[in-house]
Amino acid sequence: MSAARFGPWRTEAARFLELVGVFGLAIAQPTFDLLGKNASLFVAWNATTPRALFLVAVVILLPPLAAYVVEIVLGLVGARVRPITHGLMLALGVGVIVAEAAKHASTLSAGVLITTGVIAAAVALVVTLRFVAVRTWLRYLSIAPMGFAAVLLFASPASTVVFDSEPAPADVAVGTPHRVVMIVLDELPLTSLLDGHGAIDAQLFPNFAALAQSGTWYRNHTTVAPFTEAAVPAILTGQLPRPGQSVPVAAEHAQNIFTLLAKTYRLNVHESVTRLCPRTVCPARNRAVGVHPGVRGMLRDVASIWGDFADPGNRTAPGFGGLGGEDTQAVLTANSFVNSLRPSAEPTFDFLHVLLPHFPWHYLPTGQDYAVLPGHTNGLHGQNWANQQVADLSRVRHLLQVQATDTFIGQVVARLKTLGVYDDTMLVVTADHGVSFRGGGPIRGVTKASVPDVAWTPLIMKAPNQKTGGPDDRAAESIDVLPTMAQHLGVPIPWRVDGRSLLSAPRTAREFPMFEWSRSTVKPRRGEHFVHLDRASGFGVVTSARAAAPNDFADLRVFGIGPYAGLLGSVAHPGTPETATSTLDSPIRYLVVNQALPKAQYAAIHGVTTVAASGRPLAVVVNGIVAGLSFTYRAPGSDHTEFWGTLVPRFFHNGRNLVQTFGIDGPPEAPTLHLLPPVAAPNGN
């Protein structure tokens, strides 16, 4: 090797250690700190001990190794240049450290932060080139990343996941081991299923309605936690969440339905964001996979986390919602579960926790993916809806995804009937928590107004060979699911449960518990961890809720939002065009429609307009028919006005379609449409 690239091996080792020390502070320390505070990511990644150790090694070694390679390449100019290139790499690391520190300790703009980092890098370049003692100190600093890693692996909640112990199956006998199929849905409020008269809307959700008639529908069922990591374990253990149980893994919830049935049942378990089924009894192919599966996905997520932390232009906290908390292919997950339902000579427990109808909402009732356009606002600021209009626009998408979930429930029932096991199967369908669409309020946090939406979730239990069904309005809590299933199956529970069987005498308490959460505005009393909420008042709101207003055409119902809902499906009769214009994103989607494909991008619309004000009602007209409704919206601090929405698929035809945007004026009974003349996007898309 040429001396232009390499010096003596001791010199090269010292240079590499210096890079490890600098980039350990710049990248490894904040990354490990963030991961330690968000240990559920390791669950979603299915992070075994070898995977976690590999991740740690990559975070510590890859950045300095990349910098080392770069300085070698730059040093090809000559031996005298090599020390300068090394100094430049060290300076780069120092500049990143200073910019990160300034970002999180101040409100400086991105330009000022970058300038600060550049100045710090310049100073560091001079200092590291002139003072040997500084470089010596950096070599000793290379030990620090190992310490950061040790804190992550052994002194943070992540250690529970990485070194997850394997609880043994319970030593119990199942008296009547019928087949069990259990589906836990995610983010499904009961209010999104009802018809305004306390019944499930059979026109919109025929499979939920049919199941509620053949099984027992516990209509007054409430969750005990508003977030998945606490709500799902409560369902599966029968125990209330407890402070300190930070990650949903078997090591923290050893007493659960999987360990209860493992000695008697073959387990076909599909967990999405939990890991309560021990690896010893659950095949690896059915483990949680998260959003970005495999080692590559895990590394991609970690890069995104550090990027959010370091980005000088991003003033928000690093985002974790899309990292293991969202399944962008949830319908494929559901279909995989349906296909896994097979004949079995031995008792079988088929379990699925699926992120349906959980955000992101992008499925039609058919299961077709209309791939909501990325990069635009959704009207959420932090966790709060900006106004009722944007909340309504999102609720349309939510309800379409609830209909896709209903389609999935029908597929499960049909599959069990095809196998000839439906009658003898215990089928349990529930959800971990709800979601709220109230303008100005949070999407998930518990407020006085959002309690009916977040707390009440569906619980339908069809017992083996059950002959009659229907609603049961006794007070029910999610911790009652396990005890009720156990009584149906004749299996004793060898641990204390907080719930009670719904086959026993009804509860008499007027309140129900809700576990504390940082996003909730309703807080427990000092020293307590649960809010106690009034059941009767919330249930009254729930039973009067309506998923969607009536319409002569069933497929138009969920699209009918705002005062001009009556325009849907009508022939557009435009008045005078406006001076304001509109520009659609990716209009080519409407020119190459193929309704037979699994992707249906044409069902979504997004664009910008020169209409200045927020809140202007808009109609989207497809081939002369009003196919969707929207509103203009200008996000705080934005320099443009947007609009978006979802369009009724049947107003499209294969091939070329004409899509136009109109402003709406006049009274709802006599509206006037005004074309917003289209302008092509600058890039021509």
Side-chain angles (χ1 to χ4, degrees), residues 192-211:
S192 290
L193 291 174
L194 302 185
D195 63 358
H197 304 286
I200 293 178
D201 194 317
Q203 188 183 53
L204 296 178
F205 314 109
N207 296 301
F208 275 110
L211 184 59

Side-chain angles (χ1 to χ4, degrees), residues 313-335:
N314 182 4
R315 300 304 307 186
T316 61
F320 299 93
L323 308 179
E326 299 165 5
D327 187 350
T328 58
Q329 297 182 319
V331 162
L332 295 181
T333 301
N335 291 340

Side-chain angles (χ1 to χ4, degrees), residues 231-475:
V232 170
I235 295 170
L236 300 181
T237 64
Q239 298 173 334
L240 289 168
R242 289 171 175 77
Q245 290 177 318
S246 56
V247 285
V249 294
E252 290 198 353
H253 303 277
Q255 299 169 328
N256 62 59
I257 194 167
F258 306 121
T259 55
L260 181 68
L261 300 181
K263 277 205 167 182
T264 303
Y265 278 76
R266 179 181 72 87
L267 300 182
N268 173 34
V269 175
H270 301 244
E271 297 183 81
S272 291
V273 293
T274 61
R275 202 162 76 192
L276 269 64
C277 191
R279 293 187 183 92
T280 52
V281 293
C282 285
R285 62 183 176 84
N286 291 336
R287 303 300 305 168
V289 295
V291 178
H292 302 134
V295 172
R296 182 184 300 178
M298 179 173 64
L299 296 177
R300 176 179 166 186
D301 287 345
V302 169
S304 176
I305 290 170
W306 178 77
D308 284 349
F309 176 85
D311 182 0
N314 182 4
R315 300 304 307 186
T316 61
F320 299 93
L323 308 179
E326 299 165 5
D327 187 350
T328 58
Q329 297 182 319
V331 162
L332 295 181
T333 301
N335 291 340
S336 175
F337 176 73
V338 173
N339 293 333
S340 76
L341 300 175
R342 297 170 184 167
S344 178
E346 58 184 323
T348 301
F349 177 31
D350 304 288
F351 174 85
L352 171 69
H353 170 217
V354 62
L355 298 185
L356 282 175
H358 194 286
F359 176 90
W361 308 297
H362 54 98
Y363 288 114
L364 296 175
T366 58
Q368 288 172 290
D369 187 343
Y370 59 88
V372 176
L373 291 167
H376 67 276
T377 60
N378 55 17
L380 275 171
H381 298 291
Q383 289 290 316
N384 289 359
W385 296 109
N387 55 51
Q388 191 59 53
Q389 293 171 338
V390 295
D392 287 343
L393 288 169
S394 288
R395 190 167 184 266
V396 170
R397 291 178 169 168
H398 161 77
L399 290 174
L400 288 170
Q401 200 139 305
V402 176
Q403 289 185 294
T405 306
D406 180 79
T407 299
F408 159 64
I409 295 299
Q411 291 169 341
V412 170
V413 171
R415 176 70 171 168
L416 294 174
K417 288 181 177 179
T418 298
L419 295 175
V421 299
Y422 177 75
D423 289 339
D424 192 50
T425 293
M426 165 173 276
L427 176 56
V428 179
V429 176
T430 189
D432 59 350
H433 55 75
V435 65
S436 184
F437 297 90
R438 298 176 185 267
I443 183 172
R444 284 263 302 279
V446 178
T447 67
K448 290 182 179 179
S450 71
V451 167
D453 307 315
V454 176
W456 270 264
T457 61
L459 173 59
I460 304 171
M461 304 182 76
K462 187 203 78 66
N465 304 305
Q466 183 171 350
K467 302 302 181 184
T468 60
D472 184 328
D473 285 352
R474 73 179 63 215

